[in-house]
Structures are given as structure tokens and as C-alpha cells.
Amino acid sequence: MPRFITATRCLTFILLSLASAGQAADAPNPTTCEITRETLFDRIYGGWTGMLIGGLEGLPHEFKYNEHPRDSLPDFTFLPQGARSDDDNDFEWPHLWFMDKEQTIKLPYPRIVEIWKANMNQGIWVANKRARELMDQGLIPPATGDPRHNRHATYNLSGQFCVESYGFLAPVMPQTAADIGLHYARIAVSGEPLQATRFWTALISLSAFHEGALDEALARAVDAVDPDSAMAEVVADARRLYRQHPQDWKTARQTLHHKWLVERKWNGNSTPVNGGMVALALLYGNGDFYRTLQYAMALGHDADCNAATTGAVLGYRLGFQHIASLPQYIMPDRYVNKTRPELPPESKVSEQAETILRVSERVILANGGERIAIGGQPGFRIRVQSPRAD
């Protein structure tokens, strides 16, 4: 079974994750991990599918629960008509599409402006909308994400919900994942939202092999951000509140809400507020995909974006086969694009995952990895990185 092969051949990485939580201080520092192409595809397919389910099924809950969480956890279906374009997926998808077609990892900013002018003209909001307007005025990134031009740049959630898939590209390479994510995040944001970009791309990158508790994974990913940042503090708050109130998610939510909105004055579209909600959802969901998305929706604020991020983290961690085996899974292999005209009007979600896998292979090889055979199956040996705040 590929899953067990990869777990065994990267056991030292799992022990290193435990060491970061103080559970195995003498764990060795691995230099490589190995994964079959089939297993990596399953992780990417799971992450992308999880992001689609979370974002689209979370839409009915978007900004519905602001001062207080939802009274109960909502039931939801798994996209019975298939997936469609929405801002939780259709900012990343054009970038990934052209990264694959043009065989590059970081699209040059002038090329991004061309792509945005041709494609990003509907279903676009707040910091991204302002960035698009600035492109028409002749600015190119990162100036479009500079607060001198873009008043939303210093808080906006684009630093979270527009970057998750870049973590898929760099399994156990959190520095590379963050670097790619930052390149694209700077189109619309700067400052604190970039700390969110670092955190979520690193967490997803590390989730390719991590099999411990979600609390351990969160603790490890914090190493990717500035320790003085709001992102580092809100993750620490979420972890502490979960330990204090393991059976009372509403009290944890209200405590976090009061600190970050009432006292600190961050708004409900900011990365600290919503990042805290995602961290709580992951902790209270405890690895259960369906239950975790329920928490992400019920905790409130920008609930569709938060459910998308939650789905991306757990989907990549668990893999598509796990999601598809759940009793709620009825989603057809279909993605309808109604917003980005240069991309196909319809495709299979599995084809999207194959596109992301091709880019991931390029990232792995560009960072010292290599193609190998694992038990007679094609696979990759990946050079492991530790998360680091530059």
C-alpha cells in the first residue's frame, strides 16, 4: 500500500514533528522523504477537493455568525452537482493553469498582470478588486498589494484563502511552499496577511506526511512565521483555548473573538480573526473531515473562506480516497468555470489535480528532489525542509 510505504520511509520526519511538540527530543533530523506518485496525487486531489467542498458548501454561512457563533453545527452535502468557480478557488486555478502550461513556478509579475486583465474581471472583491483596478492604472505587483495604493492590503484575507494550493506544490518543503505562496499573495496584500500566507502554506506542506495530532501540526507550522506576528499569537491563543475548553467550542470562539475584534480591533475579514477560527476548527474537528468543516462554518466570520482553508489542510493530510469513502460523499468529478474566460469552461476535478501534480513535480525537482521507484511504482525522493521565518 503506497500510504504505508511513504509513512515508513519518512518516519524520521514524523518523529521530528513530535520533537517540536516536546515529545521526542532526540528525534533525528531527516534529509529526505519518499512518496509514490500515486500517493502524492491522492494527497493533492484530496486537498483540492477539500478546498472546493469547504468553500462552496460554506457559502450559505459567510458572515452569518459575526458577534456569536452558530447555535449548532450545520449539516451539508458534498457538492451533488459538482464544483464550480468561486473566489476561494478561481484565483489560484488560473495561476496553476498557466504555471503548468508555461512550465514555470513563479509567473513573472508582468505576465500575471496580463492574466489578470484577461481573466479577473468578475467574482473579485476587496483587496483583489483594488489590485485589479491598480493594474488598469499601470501598476504591477507587488505595488498592487502595497498599502500606499491598496487600503485593504494590511488586513485582507487574501493572504489566507488565495494561497492554500501553493502548499500542495511543495510536500515537506515549507520554506519553498511559503516562498511560492508569498509571490502570489503579494499581488493583493502585504504586512500581516503575508504571515498568514507563510503559516497556511507551511502547515499544508508539512501535512503531506504528518500523522500526529493537529495541535502538533499547528505548533510546527508556527515556526514559519514571525514570532511577534498576530498570526503566531492567534494560533497560540487557539491552541490554549482548546486545551482550556476541550468540550466547549463556543466559549473558545467567543474568547478569541473578543480579544481580536473587540480589543485588538481587527475586522471580520482579517487574517488573524479568521486564521484563529480555522485553527479552532482543526483542533475541535480532531481529524474528522466532515466534523471539522462543520466547525469551520459554525464558528462564523468569513466562513466560506475558512471552510475552504480547513478543507485544504485536512484534504491534503487525509487524501482523496479517504474523503471519497465518507458516507456524505456524492460529488461528481466535475468543475464548471464561469468566471475565468481563458480557462476551460468545464473540466474534471481529477484533471485539475493532475495539473497541480505536474507543477508539484517541477517544484520537487527544482529543490533538489529526484524521481525514483518505490516498490516498483514511480515516486519521488524529496529534500526535507524545516519551517523557517525569514
Side-chain angles (χ1 to χ4, degrees), residues 96-122:
L96 294 162
W97 171 266
F98 287 106
M99 290 159 74
D100 179 46
K101 295 299 180 186
E102 299 176 15
Q103 298 187 14
T104 189
I105 297 167
K106 294 182 182 178
L107 292 161
Y109 285 137
R111 177 66 179 126
I112 287 175
V113 171
E114 294 176 348
I115 292 168
W116 274 51
K117 285 185 174 181
N119 294 283
M120 307 302 194
N121 298 303
Q122 56 180 310

Side-chain angles (χ1 to χ4, degrees), residues 357-379:
L357 177 60
R358 288 193 295 271
V359 181
S360 178
E361 180 174 4
R362 182 173 295 276
V363 171
I364 290 168
L365 298 178
N367 286 275
E370 58 184 320
R371 298 185 186 91
I372 60 170
I374 302 174
Q377 301 181 62

Side-chain angles (χ1 to χ4, degrees), residues 199-200 203 207 213-215 217-218 242 275-288 291-293 295-296 299 306 309-315 317:
F199 179 79
W200 295 115
L203 177 63
S207 296
L214 267 300
D215 183 66
L218 293 172
Y242 174 68
M277 298 303 161
V278 176
L280 287 177
L282 290 167
L283 291 166
Y284 281 97
N286 196 29
D288 183 309
R291 179 57 62 89
T292 303
L293 263 63
Y295 280 116
L299 286 162
N306 294 343
T309 301
T310 304
V313 173
L314 268 194
R317 177 184 169 99

Side-chain angles (χ1 to χ4, degrees), residues 240-301:
R240 172 179 52 80
L241 289 167
Y242 174 68
R243 290 192 296 270
Q244 291 175 350
H245 308 284
Q247 305 301 323
D248 189 356
W249 61 277
K250 292 182 181 179
T251 294
R253 189 269 191 192
Q254 286 304 91
T255 304
L256 192 147
H257 168 93
H258 183 81
K259 175 178 177 175
W260 290 95
L261 277 92
V262 179
E263 296 179 359
R264 298 290 183 87
K265 307 298 184 183
W266 288 92
N267 69 38
N269 189 233
S270 68
T271 51
V273 170
N274 290 284
M277 298 303 161
V278 176
L280 287 177
L282 290 167
L283 291 166
Y284 281 97
N286 196 29
D288 183 309
F289 181 82
Y290 183 76
R291 179 57 62 89
T292 303
L293 263 63
Q294 287 182 300
Y295 280 116
M297 297 170 192
L299 286 162
H301 295 295

